[in-house]
Amino acid sequence: MNKRATIEDVARIAGVSTATVSRAIHTPEIVSDSTREAVNGAIEQTGYTLNLAARNLRQQRANATVVLVPDIGNTFFSEILVGIERVASAAGHTILIGHTAKDPVREEKYLNTLVNGQADGALLLNGHLPDVVIERIKNAAGGGFPIVSVSEALDDQIVPHVGIDNVRAAAMATQYLLDHGHRHILHLRGPGDNILTHQRMAGFEQAMRAAGLATNPDTFLDGDFTIESGVTAAHQVTRDPTKPTAVFCANDEMAIGLMSELAIRGIEVPTDVSVIGFDDIAFAKTARPGLTTIRQPRAEFGECAMRRLLDLINGKESGFPFINVLEATIVERGSVATR
Ligand code: RIB
């Protein structure tokens, strides 16, 4: 049987040191093109593959990150994962996906990978930490575990966070409708147990108040961030005797459900009712009419959060306190008309 090629074989053939081979593999951006090409050629020639298990044992690291995702079916999260994976794989990190389905038992199970050494750090896309982990972080000198929250902040922000200013972005969406002459605007909100729901409601109310418009319980439609809840809301919009002219939806999935059911009921968007969403998921562009919405920079969320996490894992920063607020922008399509 052929002997397995070693890093020394690659270094000898490429004419560089083993440290340079390692840099060319793990941090290719810091070596020159010619060195990278020489190392890649030598890798190909020798058939060298990394012995990851040996490396991890040597480093006493898993070189893996666990990502807790509340709903892998929502495309909002997949683009965040793309950004996370991009940075993680460039750093030689593997990603473990923990689909939590908002179940605390699953959350605890996946966070256990930090305790049993299967993962070095965690990215939270679910806005929640089990009490036992919170206690451990609060009591541990140096912060306990390397954890960064993304998009949904924790109620008690005890770990670093990456996201947008949701209050501001929701006010911007509402202002857009106001600027287009709408005065009777409803807000289709998210689930009551989600921090984003309250932040986006606050932004909506802030913009309405600033325009001298009062809100009351009838101004709000109940949703849960799913397409189905957008469909249900369409029934309420069509039955509303006060004839709202616009709806600000707390996410795109609900906006798309709302628009398609309004179309079925013969209500035209934007001529009869204008709709604005939040997120800019891929389907916002292909919806008919195209959905005007707030774009959240999701790949950037993932990249920024993963970079922060790697710094924490590598002891490059204390990790607290810091919040990275990224920019949300309006994407204008065809679902809002001027009154
Ligand atoms: O949980 C889903 C929602 O949370 C997304 O649609 C997005 O708005 C996110 O912030």
Side-chain angles (χ1 to χ4, degrees), residues 153-317:
L154 304 180
D155 289 335
D156 187 0
Q157 194 59 54
I158 54 168
V159 298
H161 180 68
V162 175
I164 58 160
D165 180 338
N166 280 278
V167 177
R168 193 157 170 257
M172 183 158 78
T174 311
Q175 190 60 48
Y176 185 84
L177 296 173
L178 292 164
D179 290 345
H180 282 73
H182 295 277
R183 289 292 172 270
H184 188 5
I185 306 170
L186 302 184
H187 177 48
L188 172 53
R189 60 189 164 193
D193 61 356
N194 190 305
I195 190 167
L196 300 170
T197 299
H198 302 284
Q199 292 169 335
R200 292 174 193 171
M201 277 172 70
F204 169 72
E205 286 178 307
Q206 202 179 80
M208 292 289 275
R209 220 177 12 254
L213 298 169
T215 56
N216 60 54
D218 292 337
T219 317
F220 298 93
L221 302 166
D222 289 326
D224 61 7
F225 284 149
T226 63
I227 289 203
E228 293 75 26
S229 65
V231 170
T232 307
H235 304 178
Q236 288 164 267
V237 173
T238 45
R239 278 200 299 262
D240 191 329
T242 62
K243 300 262 180 260
T245 67
V247 184
F248 161 41
C249 302
N251 82 346
D252 286 353
E253 294 220 3
M254 296 194 294
I256 290 168
L258 173 71
M259 290 205 303
S260 66
E261 185 63 20
L262 287 177
I264 290 168
R265 292 168 167 256
I267 310 285
E268 263 193 57
V269 176
T271 325
D272 300 325
V273 176
S274 287
V275 175
I276 189 165
F278 203 104
D279 286 346
D280 194 27
I281 60 171
F283 299 124
K285 198 194 236 164
T286 54
R288 284 293 160 263
L291 179 64
T292 293
T293 188
I294 298 291
R295 176 180 178 272
Q296 298 205 63
R298 288 165 289 156
E300 290 92 324
F301 280 179
E303 288 169 357
C304 177
M306 189 67 219
R307 273 196 297 271
R308 287 294 197 190
L309 188 69
L310 287 170
D311 282 351
L312 283 176
I313 292 170
N314 295 325
K316 286 200 192 144
E317 57 178 305

